[in-house]
Structure formats: structure tokens, C-alpha cells
Amino acid sequence: MQNSYTEANYENAVIEVFRDTLGYDYVYAPDLVRDFADPLYSDELLTALRRVNPALPESAITEAVYKLRNFEGGSTHQKNIQFMDYLQNGVSVNYFDKKEQRASLVRLIDYEHVERNSFLVSNQWTIVENSEKRPDVLVFINGLPLVVFELKSPSREETDASEAFLQLRNYMHEIPSLFIYNAFLVMSDLAISKAGTITAGEDRFMEWKTKVGSYENTQFAQFDTFIEGIFDKARLLDIIKNFICFSGTEAKILGAYHQYFAVKKAVSSTAKATQTDGKGGVFWHTQGSGKSLSMVFYAHLLQQELNSPTIVVLTDRNDLDDQLFGQFAKCSDFLRQTPQQAESRENLKELLLGRQANGIIFTTAQKFEESNEILSDRHNIIVMADEAHRSQFIDEKVDAKTGRIQKSFGLIIRESLPNATYIGFTGTPISRKDRSTIEVFGNYIDIYDMTQAVEDGATRPVYYESRVIHLKLNEEVLRLIDAEYDLMAANAEPYAIEKSKKELGQMESILGAEQTIAALCEDIVNHYEQNRAHELTGKAMIVAYSRAIAMKIYRKLLELRPGWMEKVGVVMTESNKDPEEWRPIIGNKHHRDEMAAKFKNNDDPLKIAIVVDMWLTGFDVPSLATMYVYKPMSGHNLMQAIARVNRVYKDKEGGLVVDYVGIASALKQAMNDYTNRDKHNYGDTDIAKTAFPKFVEKLEVCRDLFHEFDYSGFMSEDVTDLVRAKVICGGVNFLSGVIKEKDKVAFIKEALLLRQALSLCRSLLTAEQRFEAAYFEAVRTMLTRISGEDKPLSLKEINSRINELLKASIQSEGVINLFSDVNSGFSLFDPKFLDEIAKMKEKNLAVEILKKLLAEQVALYRRTNLVKSEKFSELLSKAMKAYLNGMLSNEEVIAELMKMAKDMADAHAEGDALGLTDEEMAFYDALTRPEAIKDIYQNDALIAMTRELTNLLRKSRTIDWQKKESARAGMRRMVKKLLKKYKYPPEGMDDAVATVIGQCEMWTDN
């Protein structure tokens, strides 16, 4: 079957963009004479290195190539770390020049003069290592295969970019050497093109949506936008040098498009500010979109563009300082210097005085305590302020009682570093009230809002559920909480601080009251166990009003669930005034670091963290999907806290914030300073108004599609698993009928949307709605498995997707037990197995299963046996056509398909009887295809011919032969010569040779 637009067509389209639009050279790999064990394009590499390093003698170039080919032992990943260092910074070599030993750097790329490098795109580049593989498209710079493309045909529904990802992983096992020299990978299927690195999971591959740096509000970018956006020659070199780094030894990071363009803007805005007013501007990228890595890329690029300035990174809390410092420290190789943390104002002064340039120094705003002396009056200091909000404003007040002038941190910092340039980085917008921040830093350089981040897959949306009512708080308390919000809004004024202290005492006693904590913990336990424990990795966070309340919640949870000792932990700083019995629970800094590692580990039993302030900013656990809020918060503090649950992780639908203290109005208020798109999209993410109506709507649609089928037997709580399982099979069968084809396609799509809504609003559903949704989910999962074109039958997805309620019922005895040994594999030719299918009551389901299994078998033949594949393919499509056109009933088509299965089994046995292997049998079939052949030749002669033919091909099969017409023609000549020796074919049967040649070509192609 010829696809309307195949992978090969798409491959050509991609190559065309490279060659005709971007001016790359193109070479068709099979036309080159090359060593297939070598991933490098050697001829090109040597020529390029001489061109890029004109001053160096041949001995230096030879030494560099030797180092490139011989990495110290270790994994592909470790070798890639070394290679990236060579690529970005050059290869250091020692060589002899006229008997004198010299040291020098051999550059692999000339980053200053783009035109001195060679850019080449190639397809069908074979590599032989653990096995023989041929990636679709490779991009070479100076002979180094820096980018691997894996393409999928846009017109075959069953393949997509995800399959390309699996193919890339497979290559990394089979031809690992290619990936030593890799900068990044691309997977594409025309609709979606994404780039990622050798360490990135599929969910971290990102699109590149613009050629010029505007945030195009497009859902999907054209593949040419992607290619022209990244592979413009100058930009590609820029990305390779400045936007790829290793974070520690685990993750290799490729900057996303929003990071690339924003950092470029930030660097030029900073350069301008150093010459003018020192205001570098504000960089607003929504939380979760990689801000701390953007800061690393910025610091790295700044070193080159501004000739090694000293960078001071300013945060307003120690734990934030540690987190950001940790990220920079992990990237110290990329930054080419080790960041330092200032311990005090004195230490900060020493660190600044000890140098005239360079250096990355971390400090908190508090370390700038009041002093009249200047720390440094140098102009080449850049201050990067993280979360540049309240701590940065410039202000001074006179204390009415003492007459002393109090200066704000922002002012003290300005006075300490009067000639520095300031740039602010933030994940939340600066509120309108906080104009002084903009006066300090200047205007926004770049805004990457929540809407765009979610659309790009950089973050997930956050939803909200109110459960205030479950605490039965009275009017008085709710009024107090509202007053607390009002105070927060005015929190900088001295009178407000005084008032707030009084109110806080009252709040503490009310929110900490025994019965309130009991109600809170009971509700959290129920909500968690019923709705969130099985969502992704079951990680959740509880935000407590105060340290004392955090401890009360901890104790109450363990009282309700004594088995949760390992599941729950408290994270907060210790204080000298703490009661003795808190110590073992809170521990010290080392204990908190251990807790962080446990909470970040998806498999660790620690699932619920109770926090007060720590971990509410800058702390990332991608799979965290639930946050219980028992603490009034407002403004950017609130927005930062809830963003703990917006990280991308596998098929996470979004984060859920469960509210016990009425944060809804504070959320709306906090949204005021967001972009209009965000206000529109996130102004109301209450699941009762978003996910729940969507769930009800999709439930209704699924019911309609099941209109004539009674699945009520599934719904009652006391039926057995077996009954449920039978109802599931019945439902699959119902939608598998010929006349239901359209309904089946619609149902698979709608039931998936139902499941997505369900994952967020399960807590709002009645038991009946939950059961019904679980039923539709079970049917959907089986349908996708049975009718999915190219994916082998697997229960893995069925079992993992159906929620706990159904886990047992799908596997219980008596359920279409043809799946029972699915993991150990079963043979289509096992008479017991066929018998079981024939006996199934669900005839439509039996047809679907048989059709799928036979189609898989035909596909297998298609790769090996031309004659059988044609024969069985024709039989299968004939039988299915007759069935679909109503000429055959269910029973009749099952009989036809069973007969086919039996014929296939017999065909299998025939080879065994003749003593031929499967591949020899394929040639035997080709030789004996014409009816009369067996009358003319003795069987011995046919078998001898078969064996000789197979051996001949085995010996002469060359790599890439099927890409070269000359080799193909040579193969045909050899085969014809052999057949002639046996006087084959007999007169008048000339077309018999075409069949044999066709089989030979197919065999060698596969």
C-alpha cells in the first residue's frame, strides 16, 4: 500500500529546507565511499580543522583528531560531556614543532567567522556497531555529526513523534558512538517537531516556535519554522556554544526558544545599561519555565559579550540562595568558573576587592546590612536580583520614636555598589503598587507568561478546589482570615505590622484549635486517599499556617494513619526555642537536605511534605501534583507557592491546589498584574467551574455512544470482579461492530478527554459517576489496544491506566482469558488459543482480535516472504472487505480468518517438513510460485537451488547496496546467472524470474 505522503517524501522536504533555504551542502550518504564503523565524516573533518586553525601545523591537527577518536573509558554520556567541552572550548593539544614541544588549542568550530565552517546535511548515513542502523537525517558541522533527526511519516496515523523518540533511544543502544558527538536530537512528524538532548525524557523535548523571537501564539509551529529557527547557520553556532550545558553530570540541557531569545535580549539590554543608567531591565518568565537555567545562560553569555564582568547574584532568603547557587555550581564547567557564596558583608567585600574582573558571587540582600562604606565602585559589576520584588525597593524612613533614618535593602545595596548595573529576574509580575522595583531595574525586557508556557508544554496549568466548607469555620474566623489578607496587602506600613501581630495571635489560636485541626486532617486524609494518592507518584504538599500548626497536623495525621510514619514529613527550620520533642522530627540542615532528596525521588515512600515557608519557592519536584493550603497567602508569594505543582511530568494533566482558608479572592487579586491572556485563562481555574463541567459533558457524550448497550451491571458496588470484567468485554464488543466504526473512533477520543477531566475533579463526583467513568476508561483502554494499528497487544497500558477500583477486575479469572498469558506471549498458531477465540460470545471482539493478530503476522511475512505476504495479505483484505460490506456474517468471517490462521500454521510446518529455515522457505516459495514448476523440476533440485541462492545472497549482501542502483543491478545479474545454471525458468515462464528477483531484493532490504 503506497502512503499518500511517506517518510521518504518528508525526508526530502526537510533536506530541501536545509539545502535551498539555509544554504547547507547536501550529500546522499550511500554515494560516499566510507567506513561504516565511523560516525565522523573524516575527509570533511580534516579539511575543516585545517581551515579553522590556519596557524597550527599538521601535527597539532593530528593530535586533536586522535583525542576526538579516543575518549577515556566511560559511558556514552560521560564521553559526550568531554566532547561538548572540546566543541565549545577547543581541544588542548601538545605537539612538536621543529623538535620543540608546544601546547595549543585546536578549535573544532570557528564561532567568530561562520563562513569558515562547513555545514552539511546528509540522509541514509549507515553506521555499524552493535547492529546496523541508518538514522534518517544527520547535520554535520566540520564533519562532526552534531544533530540526529528521526522523522515519522505524517500520513500513517499509527506513528507519531513519540515513536521517533523510541527509535532515537534504540539508536543510542545500538550505535552509541554516534551519540558521543551529539549536540542535540530532533524528532519530527511534520505536525510537531521537537528538539532535546541525549538525557532528556520525551516530555522534555521542546518545539521551537519562532524564527525571530516573538512569542507566536501558535499551538504548533510549522516544521520549516522549527528548522529555520534553530538551524540558521549563525544561530546554530550560537546555540551550540552558549545554550547547551550539563547540569551536574546527570542532565544535559538545551535552551528552549523562549530562553534563547530572552537571554539574547537581556544581554544586549545589560550592555546598553552599562553605558547609560545602569538599569538592565526586568526578565519575567513564569515559574517553572526554567528561569534559573536562563540565569545560567545569561551569566555565561555575559562573560563573552561584556568582557568578563563580575556578577553578583542577589536573593532575599538563604534557602533560595542555596538553591540558585546549587544550580550555578552544577553548571560551573559551562560557566568556566566556580561560583562563590559570601558569608557576610566583610566576606563580600573581600571577594569583590580581590579581583578586577570575573567571578560569580552569591549573596542575600540581608548581608548588605547598613554601612556607609562603599563595597566596590567598579563599573563592571552586574547585579542579578532573583525574585526582585519587595526586598529591592529604594526607600528611607525616619523612625518617629528614635529619629533614626531607616534605609531599605534596595537603597543600601545601591549605596554599596554605586556604579553597578542591575537586572531583575522574576517568575511573577511586579505588582502595580510596587512601582519602585521598575524604577530600580528599568522596564520589562521579556515576558513569557503562563498561557504561553502551558501552550509550549514548558509548564502545566494549575487548578483550584475549595474545601473551606469542610472545616465548618464560623463567620468570625472567616472575617479574621479576610482581615489577614487586607493586612498582607499593606504589609510594609509600620502600623500594619503592629496590627498584624495582634491579629496573628488570634489566628494562631483559632486555626490551631484541636477540633479544627482534627477536621482538617480527616478531610485531607479522605481527599488524598480517594482522589490523589494514585495520581502520578502520589506526592503532595501541605502548607501550614505556622510551625506549631505544622507539628499539630503531623501528629494528627499519624494518629489517624499510624502506618504513615515513612509517608509524611515536616520541613521547616529549627529554632532554639523549639520544644524538645520537635527536634527528632525537624532535624537540622543535613536532615532537610535528606528530606529534599527523598521527596524528589519518585519511588521513595515519603509522599506528603508538611511545610510552612521552606520549599514554597524554587523547589522543584516535577511529579508533585497536589497542594493542600492551610495558610493565607497573597500576591507573588501565593503565585510562587502554587507554582510548585505546575512542573511537566509524563502525562500530568495539571496541578491541583486544595484550599482550606479561602485563597480564591487572593488568587484573583494576584492575577491582576498578569498579562490579559493569563487573566482570561487563569483568572478562574476552580475545578468546579472548569474540570467538572467538562467531565459532566464528556460523560454525557460517552453515555450517548453507548445508547443501546446496558452496562448497569458494572455500576453496583457489590458485584464481583468477574461480572464487571464481562461487562467491559461486552462494551468493547458493542463498539467493535461493523456499523459502529464511527462511534468507536469518537468514543476513544471522548473517553480520553473524560479521563483527563476526571484526574482533576474526582473529589467532586458521586460514587456512581466515578464507577461510570472507570467503566468508560476500561473500555477505552482495551479498544485502543485491540484496534491500534501498529502496536502489539499489550496489557501493560490497560493495567496501568485503569484506576485502583478496576485493577483486579481486568485480570481476574474468566475474563477473556486469552489475555492471561499475554506477558509470556502466545502463538497465533496454537489450536487451543484459536479455539478459545472461536468460542467467545463477543463475536465482534473475536473478529477484531483475529484481524489484528493476522495483520501482525502478514506484516512479519512482508519483511521476509514476498509470495506468502502477497497471498495472505490478499486473503485478509478480501475477507475483511466482504465482512464490512455485509456479505459475510460474524460467524462466517471468523471461520474465514480461522482457516487463514490454519493455512499460516500449515505454511510454517511445510518449511519444517522440507528441512528449510524460514528465510530459505521464502526463496523456495518464490521459485515454486508458478503452478507448473513442481512438475518440471525434482524437489531435490529446487531445494539445492534454494540453498545456493540463499548462500549467494548472504555472502554478497553489502551494506547500503539497496540504496545504490549499480549494486542492485549487479545483484540481479548474479541471481540470473545462478538460475541459468539450473536452467530456470522453463520456457514461457519468464515472469517467474521477476518473482525471485523481487524476493531477493526484499530479503536483502530487510
Side-chain angles (χ1 to χ4, degrees):
M1 179 185 87
Q2 176 60 39
N3 278 319
S4 47
Y5 188 82
T6 63
E7 237 156 87
N9 299 124
Y10 184 35
E11 197 172 289
N12 293 335
V14 167
I15 286 166
E16 228 166 276
V17 178
F18 273 104
R19 191 184 56 210
D20 303 344
T21 310
L22 297 173
Y24 282 51
D25 295 325
Y26 165 64
V27 64
Y28 178 56
D31 291 343
L32 294 175
V33 178
R34 48 176 287 269
D35 170 5
F36 294 110
D38 186 3
L40 303 176
Y41 185 3
S42 297
D43 301 357
E44 191 61 45
L45 175 67
L46 283 162
T47 321
L49 291 185
R50 292 180 189 121
R51 192 174 55 243
V52 170
N53 302 279
L56 292 176
E58 193 64 21
S59 54
I61 304 285
T62 313
E63 174 65 16
V65 172
Y66 176 80
K67 278 185 124 172
L68 262 185
R69 291 190 175 284
N70 297 281
F71 288 93
E72 295 296 307
S75 62
T76 307
H77 175 65
Q78 287 158 330
K79 292 176 182 174
N80 186 249
I81 293 178
Q82 179 62 68
F83 171 71
M84 286 305 299
D85 180 40
Y86 288 164
L87 190 65
Q88 290 171 332
N89 307 307
V91 185
S92 59
V93 294
N94 292 310
Y95 62 94
F96 282 97
D97 185 22
K98 303 192 182 82
K99 294 195 176 163
E100 210 176 311
Q101 191 171 13
R102 295 175 185 271
S104 184
L105 261 190
V106 174
R107 287 185 303 166
L108 300 183
I109 288 180
D110 189 330
Y111 291 105
E112 272 70 67
H113 310 91
V114 178
E115 68 291 343
R116 280 195 196 156
N117 304 289
S118 80
F119 294 81
L120 179 134
V121 61
S122 176
N123 59 334
Q124 305 297 335
W125 187 280
T126 300
I127 294 176
V128 178
E129 201 167 345
N130 300 334
S131 66
E132 174 192 322
K133 293 290 173 211
R134 196 177 290 112
D136 292 331
V137 173
L138 293 180
V139 175
F140 290 87
I141 299 184
N142 297 343
L144 301 164
L146 297 184
V147 185
V148 179
F149 269 76
E150 183 59 24
L151 309 174
K152 280 294 160 217
S153 151
S155 62
R156 278 170 60 214
E157 276 182 20
E158 70 277 12
T159 68
D160 55 15
S162 290
E163 204 163 299
F165 175 76
L166 293 173
Q167 182 73 292
L168 287 167
R169 297 310 271 179
N170 178 28
Y171 288 158
M172 283 160 71
H173 290 297
E174 296 300 311
I175 46 172
S177 321
L178 175 66
F179 297 90
I180 295 172
Y181 306 101
N182 183 268
F184 58 92
L185 313 163
V186 172
M187 53 189 200
S188 173
D189 67 353
L190 194 64
I192 301 184
S193 302
K194 295 181 168 188
T197 67
I198 58 172
T199 65
E202 189 183 344
D203 53 2
R204 298 314 307 176
F205 272 65
M206 298 294 281
E207 295 177 82
W208 190 283
K209 291 191 172 183
T210 171
K211 301 174 194 179
V212 291
S214 63
Y215 294 117
E216 295 176 5
N217 188 8
T218 49
Q219 292 275 280
F220 299 110
Q222 261 47 56
F223 79 100
D224 54 338
T225 303
F226 175 89
I227 294 174
E228 290 174 46
I230 296 183
F231 292 94
D232 165 82
K233 289 178 181 177
R235 182 169 301 147
L236 180 59
L237 295 192
D238 192 8
I239 291 171
I240 288 171
K241 177 139 179 52
N242 300 312
F243 290 88
I244 297 177
C245 73
F246 285 89
S247 175
T249 51
E250 307 85 53
K252 182 179 184 183
I253 313 286
L254 166 68
Y257 83 102
H258 65 273
Q259 292 171 312
Y260 175 84
F261 289 108
V263 166
K264 298 287 283 181
K265 286 186 212 169
V267 169
S268 71
S269 149
T270 309
K272 197 163 135 212
T274 56
Q275 304 302 313
T276 53
D277 59 4
K279 293 179 185 178
V282 177
F283 185 111
W284 163 20
H285 277 207
T286 195
Q287 299 111 308
S289 62
K291 180 171 60 78
S292 49
L293 280 160
S294 297
M295 294 170 85
V296 170
F297 291 132
Y298 167 81
H300 168 82
L301 197 54
L302 214 52
Q303 303 283 322
Q304 303 169 66
E305 302 294 315
L306 291 191
N307 199 3
S308 307
T310 297
I311 296 172
V312 175
V313 185
L314 191 61
T315 57
D316 63 0
R317 282 223 321 278
N318 282 327
D319 55 331
L320 290 186
D321 197 55
D322 288 344
Q323 277 160 16
L324 194 56
F325 176 76
Q327 181 61 73
F328 270 68
K330 281 182 176 171
C331 301
S332 53
D333 287 350
F334 174 67
L335 293 164
R336 300 194 70 67
Q337 52 182 317
T338 307
Q340 293 167 290
Q341 258 175 316
E343 287 155 20
S344 60
R345 186 182 173 97
E346 265 320 297
N347 184 218
L348 181 59
K349 187 178 178 180
E350 282 162 28
L351 291 172
L352 287 168
L353 282 177
R355 56 170 50 89
Q356 282 311 301
N358 272 323
I360 299 177
I361 303 162
F362 278 71
T363 177
T364 57
Q366 289 74 5
K367 300 222 170 73
F368 280 88
E369 64 231 27
E370 290 195 35
S371 163
N372 294 328
E373 54 158 359
I374 287 177
L375 283 173
S376 171
D377 58 1
R378 281 196 286 130
H379 285 263
N380 65 341
I381 291 177
I382 311 291
V383 177
M384 292 167 63
D386 184 33
E387 288 311 338
H389 289 276
R390 308 294 304 185
S391 63
Q392 299 299 323
F393 60 90
I394 296 182
D395 196 7
E396 50 191 338
K397 290 194 180 100
V398 178
D399 187 318
K401 290 181 191 153
T402 62
R404 204 168 141 253
I405 294 176
Q406 287 177 318
K407 297 181 180 180
S408 67
F409 281 133
L411 183 58
I412 298 168
I413 293 163
R414 288 300 171 292
E415 290 176 350
S416 302
L417 300 171
N419 298 322
T421 294
Y422 292 79
I423 177 171
F425 286 80
T426 181
T428 51
I430 288 158
S431 77
R432 296 199 180 105
K433 289 191 292 235
D434 202 358
R435 290 303 306 170
S436 54
T437 308
I438 291 181
E439 286 160 23
V440 172
F441 294 103
N443 290 320
Y444 286 119
I445 300 167
D446 191 76
I447 295 176
Y448 185 64
D449 64 12
M450 292 197 285
T451 303
Q452 191 65 46
V454 168
E455 211 166 83
D456 291 346
T459 60
R460 291 280 181 264
V462 175
Y463 296 89
Y464 160 92
E465 173 182 1
S466 174
R467 289 180 83 81
V468 178
I469 194 150
H470 295 263
L471 293 191
K472 308 184 183 55
L473 298 173
N474 61 26
E475 287 305 306
E476 183 61 24
V477 179
L478 295 173
R479 247 203 332 277
L480 256 180
I481 293 177
D482 285 344
E484 168 95 344
Y485 282 121
D486 294 342
L487 281 175
M488 285 186 208
N491 66 3
E493 301 305 323
Y495 78 87
I497 292 167
E498 280 310 305
K499 190 168 169 214
S500 161
K501 281 180 187 156
K502 288 197 191 91
E503 305 273 344
L504 286 181
Q506 278 177 286
M507 281 286 280
E508 176 79 35
S509 58
I510 293 171
L511 290 183
E514 192 57 43
Q515 72 271 35
T516 319
I517 294 281
L520 171 79
C521 292
E522 274 161 30
D523 196 65
I524 288 179
V525 166
N526 289 336
H527 186 277
Y528 178 77
E529 287 183 332
Q530 287 169 23
N531 312 301
R532 309 302 292 172
H534 303 292
E535 205 49 52
L536 305 166
T537 60
K539 300 274 181 183
M541 210 178 248
I542 300 173
V543 186
Y545 182 72
S546 65
R547 299 170 75 250
I549 286 176
M551 293 305 292
K552 285 182 179 175
I553 293 173
Y554 176 71
R555 297 240 156 81
K556 193 70 193 171
L557 288 179
L558 288 184
E559 191 184 307
L560 293 169
R561 291 288 181 275
W564 281 17
M565 279 301 293
E566 285 195 297
K567 186 175 271 197
V568 186
V570 181
V571 180
M572 55 195 195
T573 45
E574 69 277 26
S575 147
N576 298 333
K577 297 177 191 150
D578 286 345
E580 194 61 37
E581 66 271 17
W582 287 18
R583 283 286 147 85
I585 297 160
I586 306 177
N588 53 13
K589 184 177 184 311
H590 174 67
H591 172 74
R592 286 196 299 277
D593 292 345
E594 269 181 10
M595 295 275 280
K598 285 159 86 71
F599 201 61
K600 288 181 181 203
N601 174 356
N602 288 331
D603 304 320
D604 192 274
L606 177 65
K607 298 294 182 197
I608 301 173
I610 303 170
V611 305
V612 183
D613 292 307
M614 298 195 82
W615 291 12
L616 289 184
T617 43
F619 181 77
D620 289 348
V621 176
S623 73
L624 177 64
T626 317
M627 174 179 269
Y628 295 99
V629 177
Y630 192 58
K631 172 187 184 176
M633 293 181 280
S634 67
H636 72 274
N637 291 336
L638 172 62
M639 298 313 288
Q640 282 181 323
I642 66 175
R644 292 315 97 215
V645 293
N646 76 347
R647 301 305 188 264
V648 173
Y649 179 78
K650 295 188 177 165
D651 53 4
K652 176 165 158 184
E653 189 52 33
L656 182 65
V657 172
V658 184
D659 165 31
Y660 290 99
V661 287
I663 54 175
S665 56
L667 263 173
K668 284 204 177 71
Q669 197 55 46
M671 287 307 301
N672 268 342
D673 300 299
Y674 279 75
T675 61
N676 286 331
R677 298 195 306 167
D678 279 356
K679 267 183 264 188
H680 171 69
N681 291 327
Y682 292 97
D684 195 354
T685 49
D686 182 349
I687 53 167
K689 296 181 186 151
T690 50
F692 183 65
K694 179 95 176 149
F695 171 85
V696 174
E697 173 201 329
K698 295 302 170 195
L699 193 64
E700 207 46 61
V701 173
C702 292
R703 273 181 198 151
D704 288 351
L705 291 168
F706 265 79
H707 171 51
E708 294 136 18
F709 181 79
D710 176 15
Y711 53 87
S712 57
F714 185 91
M715 306 297 287
S716 79
E717 298 203 20
D718 48 7
V719 297
T720 66
D721 286 345
L722 180 56
V723 171
R724 282 208 185 111
K726 286 190 169 153
V727 183
I728 294 170
C729 292
V732 173
N733 185 59
F734 170 71
L735 280 183
S736 300
V738 179
I739 48 171
K740 288 279 180 195
E741 188 55 35
K742 269 206 183 84
D743 286 357
K744 178 170 82 175
V745 174
F747 174 79
I748 288 175
K749 187 170 146 214
E750 297 294 337
L752 181 62
L753 295 169
L754 177 75
R755 180 180 83 89
Q756 290 171 341
L758 171 81
S759 74
L760 291 165
C761 67
R762 194 179 275 126
S763 61
L764 305 183
L765 311 181
T766 61
E768 189 156 311
Q769 287 171 318
R770 280 205 305 273
F771 270 88
E772 202 171 353
Y775 175 71
F776 290 139
E777 174 57 11
V779 173
R780 179 192 75 82
T781 318
M782 280 190 71
L783 277 172
T784 50
R785 271 304 170 214
I786 289 166
S787 51
E789 286 303 304
D790 227 21
K791 296 179 178 157
L793 264 172
S794 137
L795 268 199
K796 191 164 162 231
E797 195 196 45
I798 298 181
N799 290 348
S800 67
R801 285 285 162 83
I802 294 164
N803 68 23
E804 291 303 299
L805 163 85
L806 279 180
K807 272 236 169 98
S809 68
I810 276 291
Q811 300 159 325
S812 70
E813 55 69 54
V815 183
I816 37 173
N817 55 6
L818 64 131
F819 287 138
S820 58
D821 54 353
V822 74
N823 293 332
S824 55
F826 46 77
S827 162
L828 170 58
F829 308 128
D830 178 350
K832 269 211 320 276
F833 176 70
L834 290 174
D835 192 37
E836 202 155 287
I837 291 187
K839 283 203 296 233
M840 277 174 77
K841 284 206 289 291
E842 291 84 5
K843 295 299 177 207
N844 297 334
L845 188 49
V847 173
E848 287 289 329
I849 290 170
L850 276 171
K851 181 186 85 177
K852 180 171 174 67
L853 294 170
L854 289 170
E856 279 175 16
Q857 195 57 38
V858 169
L860 219 64
Y861 277 138
R862 197 172 290 134
R863 292 213 294 276
T864 50
N865 190 319
L866 183 74
V867 176
K868 283 207 172 92
S869 109
E870 280 177 3
K871 174 184 153 197
F872 287 127
S873 181
E874 200 175 318
L875 284 173
L876 182 62
S877 72
K878 224 166 155 177
M880 289 314 293
K881 208 177 257 158
Y883 170 60
L884 294 173
N885 293 336
M887 291 147 59
L888 290 179
S889 68
N890 264 340
E891 273 76 5
E892 288 164 332
V893 76
I894 287 175
E896 281 291 315
L897 296 177
M898 299 290 271
K899 183 176 172 301
M900 233 180 110
K902 192 174 171 310
D903 289 351
M904 283 183 175
D906 293 348
H908 212 65
E910 191 188 337
D912 295 345
L914 292 169
L916 297 174
T917 64
D918 281 351
E919 54 184 18
E920 288 170 343
M921 193 63 205
F923 290 112
Y924 182 82
D925 285 340
L927 288 166
T928 59
R929 184 183 195 171
E931 298 280 309
I933 289 280
K934 286 189 178 171
D935 301 340
I936 301 168
Y937 297 94
Q938 290 292 316
N939 206 33
D940 294 353
L942 287 167
I943 284 178
M945 212 185 320
T946 297
R947 293 216 159 108
E948 199 170 333
L949 188 58
T950 316
N951 287 333
L952 174 81
L953 281 167
R954 249 196 223 113
K955 284 192 195 117
S956 64
R957 167 147 117 180
T958 62
I959 292 167
D960 273 357
W961 78 272
Q962 69 271 50
K963 302 285 170 203
K964 290 188 182 149
E965 204 33 61
S966 56
R968 235 177 162 88
M971 188 271 296
R972 291 190 203 108
R973 279 199 303 278
M974 273 177 359
V975 172
K976 283 179 179 160
K977 195 170 154 196
L978 171 79
L979 296 177
K980 216 174 197 154
K981 188 174 97 179
Y982 282 95
K983 302 193 173 52
Y984 185 99
E987 238 162 277
M989 290 193 192
D990 291 342
D991 55 345
V993 175
T995 304
V996 177
I997 297 281
Q999 174 58 43
C1000 293
E1001 293 192 342
M1002 176 202 259
W1003 184 78
T1004 21
D1005 276 353
N1006 285 294

